[in-house]
């Protein structure tokens, strides 16, 4: 999604900052969020995670709450489960 992609660098910064404390941190994180009829996020939370790192999870949720989406066609709300996969770059 283009709206999420716009924040890619911020998501990456969350991960890189967390890697400084845990260089082996990797896994999958699914964020559940609700987009209102106005295109704003009304709720965002961790749905599933294999990462189990509250610092990274909180950072990702915080960024997700800032995203503005196009208004949903036909009005109403949209419920999204969005996956993130994090892996350190290994040389």
């Amino acid at each position: 999604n283009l709206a999420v992609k716009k924040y890619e660098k911020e998501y990456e910064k969350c991960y890189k900052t967390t890697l400084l404390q845990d260089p082996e941190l990797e896994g999958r994180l699914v964020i559940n969020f609700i987009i209102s009829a106005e295109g704003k996020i009304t709720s965002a939370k961790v749905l599933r995670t294999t990462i189990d790192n509250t610092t990274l999870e909180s950072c990702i949720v915080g960024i997700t709450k800032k995203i503005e989406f196009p208004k949903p066609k036909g009005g109403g709300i949209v419920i999204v489960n969005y996956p993130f996969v994090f892996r350190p770059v290994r040389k």
Side-chain angles (χ1 to χ4, degrees):
N1 183 298
L2 290 177
V4 174
K5 201 154 186 61
K6 192 168 121 179
Y7 287 85
E8 198 171 72
K9 294 236 182 285
E10 287 189 51
Y11 287 124
E12 193 176 304
K13 185 178 177 189
C14 283
Y15 182 56
K16 285 182 177 179
T17 301
T18 311
L19 275 179
L20 295 174
Q21 294 135 13
D22 184 356
E24 298 299 313
L25 184 67
E26 64 180 280
R28 188 168 191 264
L29 174 65
V30 178
I31 300 293
N32 168 271
F33 57 93
I34 298 172
I35 304 169
S36 73
E38 291 78 38
K40 305 229 186 281
I41 302 292
T42 58
S43 165
K45 64 183 182 206
V46 174
L47 182 65
R48 285 186 301 277
T49 181
T50 61
I51 294 175
D52 293 322
N53 182 294
T54 54
T55 303
L56 177 59
E57 293 164 4
S58 296
C59 190
I60 298 299
V61 167
I63 291 167
T64 302
K65 286 180 178 178
K66 297 191 303 186
I67 300 174
E68 286 195 40
F69 288 86
K71 292 179 181 180
K73 289 180 180 159
I77 65 167
V78 177
I79 299 170
V80 179
N81 293 327
Y82 197 92
F84 294 87
V85 177
F86 296 99
R87 284 191 196 96
V89 177
R90 294 189 172 92
K91 295 178 182 174

